[in-house]
Structures are given as C-alpha cells and as structure tokens.
Amino acid sequence: MLAFQDYYPENVAHCYGCGRLNGHGHQIKTCWDGDETLTRFQPRPEHTAVPGFVYGGLLASLIDCHGTGTAAAAAYRAENRPMDSEPPLRFVTASLHVDYLKPTPLGPVLEIRGRIKEIKGRKVIVEAEVSAAGVVTARGEIVAVQMPDSFKA
C-alpha cells in the first residue's frame, strides 16, 4: 500500500519531514489505519536531547508532517477522490500545538496516530499522539490549510 506522501508530486516532495525527495529528511510514511492515520518512525542517535531520550523538536516535526499528510488524505476522502487525482490537494501548517507529556525514550519505534477533528473548506484540524512502546509521550493539534498555488511553482 502506498503512503500518503508517495502521492505528492515532485514539486512538493522536498519537505524535511515528509518529502521522499529529501535524502536528509525524515521521509515519514503515513497510511490509514481504520479512521485514524498511522506513521511509524525510528529515531536515530542524532535525535538525542539528553542521553537516552528523543529531542522534542523531532517530535514536533513528526506531529507536524503527520498532520499535514493526514489533512491531505482526509480532504481526498471527504471529496470521495483517490489521492492521485487532479487537482492535487496539499496542505501546509497554519498552527501547531504540542504538549509533551513525558520524556520519549530513544530506542523504540515511535507511533504517531492522527484523528480528524474538523474539515471546513480549505482547513483541516488534526489531533495527533506520539507513543513509544505503547506509552503516549506527546500530543499535538495541527491546523492545516490547503497549500497556496504559489508554493507549487
């Protein structure tokens, strides 16, 4: 099964968090898991905050890109369209809020799960949780807006 990010056209596939064409980025892959979305990510040693724990900025980045990917997939679903249909629906972050609940251990694969809170016009609000070894360590809310045409040049 293709991930949402696999459908991104080349002109918008360079994002540090989710762009498949950014060899230095996270290259996250997000898919539907029932009514939720799911990304799995393995932090690397360079993602350390203090020995043994993940840097909070990485968690924010994962929530951010998971949220915009989820927004795109939700918009396609709401329009009953496949993700490779034209015109492409791509989203950018208008607002990102992250609550860090407890330190995230470095080592386990992280799971990021998203849920659609609201779809209204060009705006989608996504709630996301990061968990490590089954323990939720961070929660976030992303307000994603449809990407302006000037970004697609």
Side-chain angles (χ1 to χ4, degrees):
M1 177 188 337
L2 290 176
F4 305 156
Q5 295 84 359
D6 294 327
Y7 292 102
Y8 293 179
E10 286 192 8
N11 63 328
V12 292
H14 297 280
C15 174
Y16 184 79
C18 61
R20 72 180 184 285
L21 301 178
N22 188 332
H24 298 287
H26 305 321
Q27 297 187 358
I28 68 167
K29 302 290 184 188
T30 308
C31 296
W32 286 109
D33 186 24
D35 287 334
E36 294 184 331
T37 55
L38 174 64
T39 296
R40 290 188 174 92
F41 183 82
Q42 178 64 66
R44 298 183 302 270
E46 62 268 23
H47 297 131
T48 297
V50 296
F53 297 95
V54 174
Y55 167 61
L58 171 70
L59 301 176
S61 178
L62 294 173
I63 290 170
D64 181 16
C65 281
H66 179 86
T68 57
T70 296
Y76 279 105
R77 210 180 232 193
E79 292 186 10
N80 200 27
R81 295 174 41 197
M83 286 197 70
D84 58 353
S85 63
E86 295 290 332
L89 300 174
R90 297 295 170 260
F91 286 76
V92 293
T93 305
S95 174
L96 172 65
H97 177 87
V98 179
D99 290 318
Y100 298 95
L101 307 175
K102 53 182 64 183
T104 303
L106 185 64
V109 171
L110 304 180
E111 281 195 0
I112 303 92
R113 291 196 168 269
R115 287 169 298 291
I116 307 306
K117 183 176 178 181
E118 178 182 315
I119 300 175
K120 188 173 183 178
R122 297 173 55 90
K123 176 178 83 172
V124 179
I125 301 175
V126 178
E127 298 172 326
E129 289 184 340
V130 177
S131 62
V135 176
V136 176
T137 62
R139 283 194 179 102
E141 182 173 279
I142 305 91
V143 177
V145 294
Q146 199 165 347
M147 183 182 288
D149 289 337
S150 62
F151 276 32
K152 300 173 191 174

